[in-house]
Amino acid sequence: MDDQTKRKNWMGLLAKSAPQAVKRLCETLCETYTFEWLRQPETGGVMVRGRTGGTGSAFNMGEVTVTRCSLRLDEGTVGHGYVQGRDKTHATQAALVDALMQTPAADQIETEILQPLRETRARQQVAIQARANATKVDFFTMVRGDD
Amino acid sequence: MYVAVKGGEKAIDAAHDWLADVRRGDPAVAELSLAQIREQMSLAVDRVMSEGSLFDLDLAALAIKQSRGDLIEAIFLIRAYRTTLPRFGASHPVETDSMQCQRRISATFKDVPGGQILGPTFDYTHRLLDFKLAAEGLTPADTPTQDTPDLAAERKPHVMDFLNKDGLIETAEATNDTPPDLTREPLELPANRALRLQNLTRADEGFLLGLAYSTQRGYARNHAFVGELRIGKVAIEMDIPELGFSIEIGEMTVTECETVNQFKGSKSEPPQFTRGYGLVFGQCERKAISMALVDRALRWKELGEDFAGAPAQDEEFVLSHSDNIQATGFLEHIKLPHYVDFQSELELIRSIRTAATAALAETKIAAE
């Protein structure tokens, strides 16, 4: 996996994880590391698009709330946070994790924060899938009596 | 003569205080929390997000609480809030074929690959009031134990792909055109399909349901089957300029409905099935099916059908009256003070009556 794909993955994971889960895991981060803002956390909207007929051209469905920010660690690394919702702490922590993942602290962040988030997410998805599979219809054909 | 009128501030304040009290209801009953609305009134939350055209569960729950459960009022609050948000950009189109489905059914193919997944549905319930729910403090039933599913193997291909392979159904080809945006440019007619779909996905559910039903009853009948209905989460991906690549910025539950409708053919092409499409925020199944039926009815010109004069075919009629915030805004404004307007009507009718009475008297005199 190249660096860009890796970064894409952790940023997506941080955005899709519940703000409370990110907060719980990142509590000490904000105290340990200091940074300066390049862009203060701000909430806005992103227009979500769909595809005509599921596969065709784009159309606008409606917006989703998104909070973003950018920061620079004291040692110079820049991190960006883009998360769904209006939680500024969530965006800040996502940006901080993004920055730290580009520093020697990456391994520690990976084990202490990203790995638990990934496991939580996988657990939730498996639970939903199992629940959905339990509602899968098994058809059976009645045997006709006349043949 | 125009007389400027001021006043009513005290009355308005008192009315709003009372509104706050009746919103709260009997203080002896526990207050609703936003989390309770979000978790236990989730389909109301989904409707408010879909018609409010803003996906945010907590804001929709707040709007429902504030509006005392009047969903159109709640949608109004969400639309008003939406206008205050700076626009960060637009997402890539969500890819519904990679959705993790919690529901996925086809009314046209029994043995569809991936299976018929019923999900948490009201279908097949008896629609009898369940008095067990009236008793509080029920513990939820145990989740059935299941084999651990392999998530990668659970991807559900679109049902339409199977018909596409045989050329039996029209294909929906992708272009790179930037779709028009109703929230930036006022509606202009004739509208292309992308603009119609944006209008329909945020349209009033009741209005769309009525129109869709009218097509089933024979007003521009197009005989729809639900080829596929799926509900689940899709990722929202967006290009981030400061990164120079795209990332997933979140995910949302959507409902998608694809209908298979009757044929279109021409001298050069053999007949094939046509399609209608519905895609809505949240779990809004009735709305997604209605949207697909109305989308299909509006495509009459493109598919070379006759205009039967049916309301569901009339683009101007449908698109101009589908938005419940526009509709309620214009409808409800007539209860607000129109004293000056009405004063002029009064003056007018009095002068007409005076003239008419005088003319009548004159004719009487002449007759005598």
Side-chain angles (χ1 to χ4, degrees), chain A residues 101-116:
Chain A
M101 280 302 289
Q102 303 166 65
T103 67
D107 286 345
Q108 191 196 346
I109 299 287
E110 168 66 38
T111 12
E112 287 176 12
I113 294 167
L114 296 181
Q115 200 51 40

Side-chain angles (χ1 to χ4, degrees), chain B residues 5 12 30 32 45 56 85 109 134 150 160 168 190 198 234 243 247 251 313 319 324-325 349:
Chain B
V5 195
I12 291 170
L32 268 178
V45 167
D56 188 311
L85 291 173
F109 300 101
D150 174 10
M160 295 302 184
L168 292 179
Q198 184 183 13
V234 291
L243 290 172
I247 62 165
E251 59 185 356
Q313 286 179 308
L319 302 185
N324 53 23
I325 300 309
I349 196 162

Side-chain angles (χ1 to χ4, degrees), chain B residues 91-236:
Chain B
S91 80
H92 294 185
V94 292
E95 301 297 350
T96 49
D97 61 347
S98 45
M99 170 191 291
Q100 192 193 5
C101 298
Q102 47 162 296
R103 174 163 167 76
R104 189 276 198 131
I105 52 168
S106 169
T108 50
F109 300 101
K110 178 165 75 72
D111 297 313
V112 56
Q116 306 263 1
I117 311 280
L118 298 182
T121 178
F122 291 124
D123 294 354
Y124 314 108
T125 63
H126 298 293
R127 265 75 184 210
L128 298 172
L129 278 175
D130 180 0
F131 289 99
K132 288 204 294 293
L133 288 173
E136 288 171 40
L138 284 183
T139 43
D142 289 336
T143 318
T145 45
Q146 287 284 320
D147 300 336
T148 307
D150 174 10
L151 289 176
E154 293 287 353
R155 199 172 151 274
K156 307 265 184 287
H158 274 126
V159 171
M160 295 302 184
D161 296 348
F162 307 114
L163 278 175
N164 270 355
K165 279 180 196 138
D166 300 331
L168 292 179
I169 193 161
E170 55 163 335
T171 48
E173 302 295 345
T175 61
N176 284 326
D177 299 346
T178 305
D181 186 355
L182 273 181
T183 67
R184 289 291 181 271
E185 299 287 333
L187 177 68
E188 275 192 37
L189 300 170
N192 63 14
R193 194 169 173 204
L195 194 62
R196 294 199 302 253
L197 289 172
Q198 184 183 13
N199 178 291
L200 295 179
T201 190
R202 53 192 248 147
D204 183 75
E205 176 174 316
F207 181 78
L208 283 193
L209 172 65
L211 281 174
Y213 181 43
S214 75
T215 68
Q216 291 186 291
R217 289 193 64 251
Y219 293 85
R221 185 193 300 279
N222 52 45
H223 205 273
F225 292 101
V226 171
E228 182 168 10
L229 180 74
R230 54 166 71 196
I231 303 174
K233 280 187 177 169
V234 291
I236 308 159

Side-chain angles (χ1 to χ4, degrees), chain B residues 348-364:
Chain B
L348 185 62
I349 196 162
R350 281 192 181 124
S351 70
I352 296 170
R353 280 174 64 96
T354 315
T357 325
L360 219 64
E362 255 173 50
T363 1
K364 257 188 190 167

